[in-house]
Amino acid sequence: MSIACLMLPLLYRRWENQKKKIIDDQKSFVHIIENTRDFLYYFQVYPKREFKYLSPSAEHFFGEGSIERAFKNSDIPFIEIHPDDYHILEKKVKGELNFDESIVQRWLDKNGEYRYFEEYATPIYKNGTLVAIQGVLRNIDDKIQLEKELQYQISHDSLTGIYNREYFDYKFEQFDQTSNIPIAILICDLDELKYMNDHFGHKEGDWIIMETARLLNQFSSDMVTVARLGGDEFALILEHSTEKTAKELIDQIIMEFINYNETSKREIKLSIGFSFEENSLGNMTTIFSKADKNMYQAKKRNKNRISEVKHLRYPI
């Protein structure tokens, strides 16, 4: 008994210290949750949809009073989500998503701009029924912007800013192996660029390449991809094309360069060849080879007698 009486104060102090540590840890955890830029939520979906918790950091993105509005109106997430992401939210509250993967969505912020958020969510079931979703969201605008910049660099030519050979090859493979559509390929090659480089320097040659890219890129659209294949060679892919529309586009390109040369101090000389097929699937290599061959035929006809772009010819 004497030993127990002596040990009791010691045990009590130890218990008090442990209790204080637990309380301090809880306060620290709550402080982290409430002050981080990430925010947590608990959203009940059954028997009715309503927020049960939203961490204060949510107001950093959605503005003062946004949490109170969300508690009053559980439809706020469905109102302020980007229209293209609405189906994601619907599937989430129905438990139809793969919750082992992150969920990317866009919501309107306090300034009326859509912001990207990456979410890790956990469905909560009771007796086999989905009753709630809980999760943590993090703003990933910087990540998305970086991905866009990297994708742009991967797919665009550094000198001209138009699509590069890698992107052309991606489209080429798509129509050769996956999508079967009527398609035409135009191959455009600058004439006398080596002469310009040798006599006036590579800066002059680069300027001609950039101007050619700019002029050709005026004809780009959802159905027309303009790319620099490398050096002085460019290519255009015409999706859902016809032979007639391909020839019409060549005429438009020729007229554009004629008009340019009439007002520019520097003349741009170009040879164009094209090929068309009703079916792209398995035929892209043949289409490209024919267009390339036709371009060289045009170049031979133009050799030693081109003084203006109006002398451009293309095989029919």
Side-chain angles (χ1 to χ4, degrees):
M1 287 293 293
S2 298
I3 294 173
C5 289
L6 290 171
M7 291 293 294
L8 193 59
L10 179 62
L11 292 172
Y12 179 76
R13 284 195 299 271
R14 181 177 294 177
W15 179 81
E16 283 289 332
N17 288 336
Q18 289 177 343
K19 182 174 131 179
K20 183 177 183 301
K21 185 177 184 304
I22 291 172
I23 293 172
D24 288 343
D25 288 346
Q26 287 178 334
K27 288 181 178 178
S28 176
F29 180 70
V30 170
H31 176 78
I32 291 172
I33 290 176
E34 294 188 347
N35 290 278
T36 182
R37 291 296 178 90
D38 299 350
F39 61 91
L40 289 78
Y41 72 89
Y42 186 99
F43 186 73
Q44 177 182 284
V45 297
Y46 180 83
K48 68 175 183 177
R49 293 179 179 178
E50 62 178 333
F51 279 101
K52 293 297 186 180
Y53 176 76
L54 266 172
S55 58
S57 51
E59 295 200 344
H60 173 75
F61 296 102
F62 303 115
E64 186 177 349
S66 58
I67 292 177
E68 183 179 356
R69 290 195 301 273
F71 280 127
K72 290 181 179 179
N73 183 2
S74 60
D75 288 333
I76 285 292
F78 298 88
I79 296 171
E80 298 188 350
I81 196 167
H82 193 285
D84 292 343
D85 298 335
Y86 187 90
H87 69 287
I88 299 175
L89 184 56
E90 277 288 353
K91 287 184 177 181
K92 181 171 64 177
V93 299
K94 292 178 181 178
E96 297 175 354
L97 290 180
N98 180 2
F99 289 97
D100 292 331
E101 299 178 353
S102 64
I103 305 166
V104 177
Q105 300 143 102
R106 288 161 288 179
W107 272 286
L108 282 173
D109 69 1
K110 58 189 175 184
N111 299 316
E113 298 178 358
Y114 284 106
R115 307 285 295 275
Y116 280 91
F117 292 91
E118 184 177 45
E119 174 185 355
Y120 289 91
T122 303
I124 299 173
Y125 292 90
K126 186 175 182 180
N127 299 325
T129 300
L130 180 67
V131 296
I133 305 286
Q134 64 181 9
V136 57
L137 289 94
R138 169 173 294 180
N139 177 253
I140 57 168
D141 286 337
D142 292 343
K143 177 183 176 182
I144 295 296
Q145 182 60 34
L146 179 60
E147 288 177 353
K148 288 180 178 179
E149 291 174 359
L150 290 175
Q151 185 58 45
Y152 182 89
Q153 292 175 12
I154 291 170
S155 61
H156 286 73
D157 177 58
S158 58
L159 177 63
T160 63
I162 66 173
Y163 286 120
N164 58 17
R165 181 61 184 257
E166 286 73 18
Y167 187 78
F168 176 85
D169 289 342
Y170 160 75
K171 299 286 283 188
F172 186 99
E173 184 176 343
Q174 175 187 350
F175 298 125
D176 191 58
Q177 300 182 12
T178 307
S179 303
N180 189 30
I181 62 170
I183 204 159
I185 293 180
L186 276 60
I187 303 295
C188 308
D189 193 86
L190 284 165
D191 298 329
E192 302 181 7
L193 183 65
K194 185 178 184 305
Y195 176 86
M196 298 298 295
N197 285 331
D198 292 344
H199 289 78
F200 302 101
H202 284 275
K203 284 188 176 181
E204 184 72 12
D206 286 348
W207 184 89
I208 291 174
I209 290 172
M210 289 188 288
E211 281 293 273
T212 302
R214 182 183 65 80
L215 293 170
L216 289 175
N217 203 43
Q218 294 179 123
F219 300 95
S220 66
S221 67
D222 292 339
M223 293 293 106
V224 179
T225 299
V226 181
R228 182 188 178 203
L229 301 185
D232 57 0
E233 191 173 31
F234 299 84
L236 288 77
I237 298 179
L238 283 61
E239 304 173 28
H240 300 284
S241 178
T242 65
E243 188 170 11
K244 179 182 177 182
T245 57
K247 292 179 179 179
E248 288 174 348
L249 179 60
I250 291 175
D251 288 337
Q252 292 172 22
I253 291 172
I254 290 173
M255 287 307 303
E256 182 66 29
F257 277 82
I258 289 174
N259 294 332
Y260 175 85
N261 284 348
E262 287 178 350
T263 59
S264 175
K265 294 180 180 178
R266 298 175 179 87
E267 185 179 43
I268 298 178
K269 302 176 182 180
L270 197 70
S271 294
I272 305 175
F274 89 102
S275 180
F276 165 80
E277 289 290 341
E278 287 285 350
N279 300 295
S280 65
L281 205 64
N283 290 323
M284 291 297 288
T285 299
T286 300
I287 299 170
F288 183 90
S289 296
K290 287 182 178 179
D292 197 47
K293 180 180 178 181
N294 290 338
M295 182 275 294
Y296 277 106
Q297 289 178 359
K299 188 179 285 289
K300 287 179 181 179
R301 287 198 304 275
N302 293 335
K303 190 175 182 181
N304 299 324
R305 64 183 180 83
I306 294 181
S307 59
E308 295 179 353
V309 177
K310 63 185 178 182
H311 292 130
L312 286 170
R313 294 290 187 271
Y314 57 89
I316 298 176

